[in-house]
C-alpha cells in the first residue's frame, strides 16, 4: 500500500495547522495500522511547491522542516517521466485540473499499486483510478 501525499497534504503535515494537520496524521495512522508495509510517496513537484512560500517569506525554520522531511531515505519519489507527463496531460484535458494537480494525480496512478492519494482538494474525487481521500 502506498500513501501518496500531494502538496496540500504535505503542508498540513509539516506546518501543522489545525484541524487539517490532525486529519492528515489520523489518516496516515489509520493506514499504517491496516498496512504495516505502507510506503509514503511524493513527487519532485511537491518538493518545489512546498518550498516556495517559506523561501519567499524567508521562513527558514519552515523551509528547514520541509528539507528535513524530503531528505527522508524512506520516501518513495515519483519522477516526472515521459509516461507521467502523458498521463497528466490526459487527466488535465478530461478533468480540467490545473497542471500541478494533474501531475500529482498522474504520479500517483503511475505507481500502479494499491494507493491512497491524500489531498485537501475535493476536485481529485473525479479522477478515475485515483483513490483520493480528502482531508478537509
Amino acid at each position: 500500500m502506498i500513501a501518496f501525499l500531494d502538496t496540500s497534504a504535505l503542508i498540513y503535515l509539516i506546518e501543522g495547522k489545525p484541524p487539517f494537520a490532525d486529519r492528515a496524521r489520523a489518516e496516515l495512522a489509520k493506514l499504517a495500522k491496516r498496512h504495516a508495509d505502507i510506503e509514503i510517496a511524493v513527487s519532485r513537484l511537491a518538493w518545489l511547491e512546498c518550498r516556495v512560500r517559506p523561501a519567499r517569506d524567508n521562513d527558514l525554520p519552515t523551509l528547514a522542516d520541509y528539507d528535513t522531511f524530503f531528505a527522508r531515505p524512506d520516501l518513495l519519489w515519483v519522477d516526472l517521466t515521459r509516461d507521467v507527463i502523458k498521463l497528466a496531460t490526459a487527466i488535465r484535458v478530461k478533468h480540467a485540473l490545473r497542471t500541478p494537480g494533474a501531475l500529482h494525480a498522474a504520479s500517483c496512478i503511475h505507481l500502479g499499486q494499491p494507493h491512497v492519494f491524500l489531498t485537501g482538494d475535493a476536485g481529485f474525487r473525479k479522477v478515475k483510478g485515483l483513490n483520493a481521500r480528502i482531508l478537509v
Side-chain angles (χ1 to χ4, degrees):
M1 170 63 73
I2 293 176
F4 187 98
L5 307 177
D6 86 341
T7 302
S8 63
L10 287 161
I11 290 169
Y12 300 157
L13 285 170
I14 304 300
E15 296 189 24
K17 297 201 167 88
F20 306 118
D22 296 335
R23 291 178 187 159
R25 288 185 188 110
E27 188 65 36
L28 283 171
K30 183 169 57 172
L31 288 167
K33 189 174 181 180
R34 286 190 202 147
H35 307 279
D37 61 343
I38 193 163
E39 292 183 86
I40 304 297
V42 295
S43 76
R44 300 277 179 195
L45 176 61
W47 187 20
L48 178 149
E49 289 182 308
C50 286
R51 296 183 87 250
V52 171
R53 191 207 41 84
R56 182 185 56 229
D57 296 347
N58 200 33
D59 181 353
L60 300 181
T62 300
L63 193 59
D65 289 343
Y66 280 117
D67 289 343
T68 298
F69 176 85
F70 283 108
R72 291 173 43 166
D74 61 333
L75 283 180
L76 176 60
W77 285 94
V78 182
D79 288 314
L80 301 179
T81 64
R82 180 183 182 98
D83 290 339
V84 169
I85 298 298
K86 284 182 170 183
L87 182 54
T89 303
I91 290 169
R92 181 157 161 62
V93 166
K94 184 172 184 174
H95 300 291
L97 291 176
R98 297 181 69 194
T99 297
L103 286 166
H104 288 301
S107 294
C108 183
I109 293 169
H110 181 71
L111 292 169
Q113 298 183 30
H115 69 271
V116 174
F117 182 85
L118 298 177
T119 183
D121 185 347
F124 286 106
R125 281 191 180 120
K126 60 188 173 185
V127 178
K128 184 178 179 183
L130 188 66
N131 182 17
R133 300 256 174 95
I134 313 306
L135 299 171
V136 294

